[in-house]
Amino acid sequence: MNNKNLPWVITAVAVVALGGVLVAQKMGTASQRHPDPRPDVNGATVIPASNWNFEPIVRAYTAAAQNAQVIDGLYCHCGCKESINHRSLLTCFETDHGSACDICMEEVELAARMHGQGATLDQIRQEIDKQYGS
């Protein structure tokens, strides 16, 4: 290799390395966003589904209450953690926020369905990130 090409080779190596760092950070960010479920969480803190008359909302609040331990371990991709300081997807259903957000309702139903089929929390997180992550 002649010395004229050396700056180009160094630049190419640096670009590839930077790309690898950015990809690693992006991949790590999604999994790190998910909170650890609290050991004492149960559905008692979820607003009763009977507070609503609209079937999709009733299903979502029921799913949250019945699967609280799993739902508490999920990041909500609607952005409520950043905008209104929600701890986890479960927090959306401890308030009326979940009743007005399609993303929250879809995520909780997907998680409950997967949990009912025997999926692990990590598998549920991966699917939620795949479908709703950015």
Side-chain angles (χ1 to χ4, degrees):
M1 174 181 357
N2 75 37
N3 288 340
K4 261 173 51 176
N5 292 333
L6 188 58
W8 290 108
V9 171
I10 292 171
T11 301
V13 169
V15 167
V16 169
L18 179 60
V21 168
L22 293 174
V23 167
Q25 285 180 337
K26 175 80 171 160
M27 291 173 69
T29 301
S31 63
Q32 292 170 359
R33 281 193 268 192
H34 292 286
D36 290 328
R38 295 166 286 183
D40 58 341
V41 163
N42 60 48
T45 57
V46 173
I47 295 175
S50 60
N51 284 16
W52 287 275
N53 295 320
F54 188 56
E55 187 56 32
I57 298 172
V58 171
R59 279 195 317 265
Y61 277 80
T62 300
Q66 292 175 348
N67 299 279
Q69 186 68 38
V70 170
I71 306 305
D72 193 47
L74 298 173
Y75 171 81
C76 182
H77 285 280
C78 82
C80 58
K81 177 179 182 178
E82 293 78 15
S83 63
I84 52 178
N85 203 31
H86 279 184
R87 181 194 181 282
S88 69
L89 180 59
L90 185 65
T91 311
C92 302
F93 298 93
E94 294 173 329
T95 68
D96 63 353
H97 174 82
S99 68
C101 182
D102 289 342
I103 293 171
C104 297
M105 288 191 281
E106 290 171 10
E107 280 189 40
V108 78
E109 287 201 57
L110 172 61
R113 183 173 53 255
M114 288 183 70
H115 181 64
Q117 295 169 346
T120 65
L121 180 57
D122 284 337
Q123 291 169 327
I124 295 167
R125 286 172 170 170
Q126 288 174 5
E127 188 60 28
I128 295 248
D129 289 345
K130 179 179 158 189
Q131 289 193 30
Y132 299 96
S134 50

